Amino acid sequence: MQTAPTPVVQRTKLPDAEKITINLGYVDLGQIDLLVAEGFYSNRTDFIRTAIRNQLSVHGDALKQVVARKMLVLGLQQFSAADLEAVRRAGERLEIRVLGLATISADVTPELALETIASVTVLGALHASAAVKAALADRLR
């Protein structure tokens, strides 16, 4: 007796980080290199990430208040064509507000995005096709 083949499910791995570039003065960079050389940090990136996390922690209460006031989704928010089709069927439009990563799936057409997304505010990163980003350009805040 033969069994039906198991369907293959492809999962797209979401990036867990966004690359940024910063310019530092030579003295600051030298001081960071000295701390790395003395073993306080494993490398420059470790120092910079630690410094950023410390500052975010210092301002944690203010961040929580702003997130609540602006009604932001904190973390990752994904929108697929199926999600947006449901929004269209309901006769609604989305006001997307994300602090983190907002992803509009590759299966979303520019036309569907225009019909269902009223505005997009992302503090962090927005991943979407170039065509969808172009279609929503006047709605990006």
Side-chain angles (χ1 to χ4, degrees):
M1 181 170 146
Q2 286 187 325
T3 59
T6 304
V8 176
V9 177
Q10 290 185 327
R11 298 183 191 263
T12 304
K13 183 177 182 326
L14 291 174
D16 61 350
E18 187 81 13
K19 183 174 278 200
I20 64 169
T21 303
I22 62 171
N23 294 320
L24 291 174
Y26 297 116
V27 173
D28 292 338
L29 190 57
Q31 290 175 336
I32 292 169
D33 286 344
L34 182 60
L35 290 171
V36 169
E38 290 297 311
F40 287 93
Y41 300 94
S42 58
N43 53 41
R44 290 175 175 176
T45 300
D46 182 33
F47 172 86
I48 293 167
R49 283 187 183 139
T50 301
I52 290 169
R53 286 184 188 122
N54 288 343
Q55 284 301 300
L56 292 173
S57 178
V58 165
H59 299 288
D61 289 339
L63 285 168
K64 287 177 189 172
Q65 291 172 9
V66 172
V67 166
R69 187 177 75 242
K70 293 187 178 244
M71 296 186 304
L72 295 164
V73 172
L74 183 61
L76 306 175
Q77 184 76 44
Q78 287 187 287
F79 301 93
S80 67
D83 296 330
L84 296 183
E85 289 290 350
V87 169
R88 178 165 48 190
R89 282 191 304 276
E92 297 175 354
R93 294 184 53 158
L94 297 176
E95 292 189 8
I96 298 170
R97 293 184 186 106
V98 175
L99 189 149
L101 173 63
T103 301
I104 301 174
S105 299
D107 62 350
V108 173
T109 64
E111 296 77 21
L112 180 58
L114 282 171
E115 284 183 48
T116 57
I117 299 173
S119 67
V120 180
T121 302
V122 177
L123 301 169
L126 170 64
H127 289 186
S129 70
V132 167
K133 283 184 177 179
L136 296 173
D138 65 332
R139 300 174 189 187
L140 298 175
R141 314 266 185 274

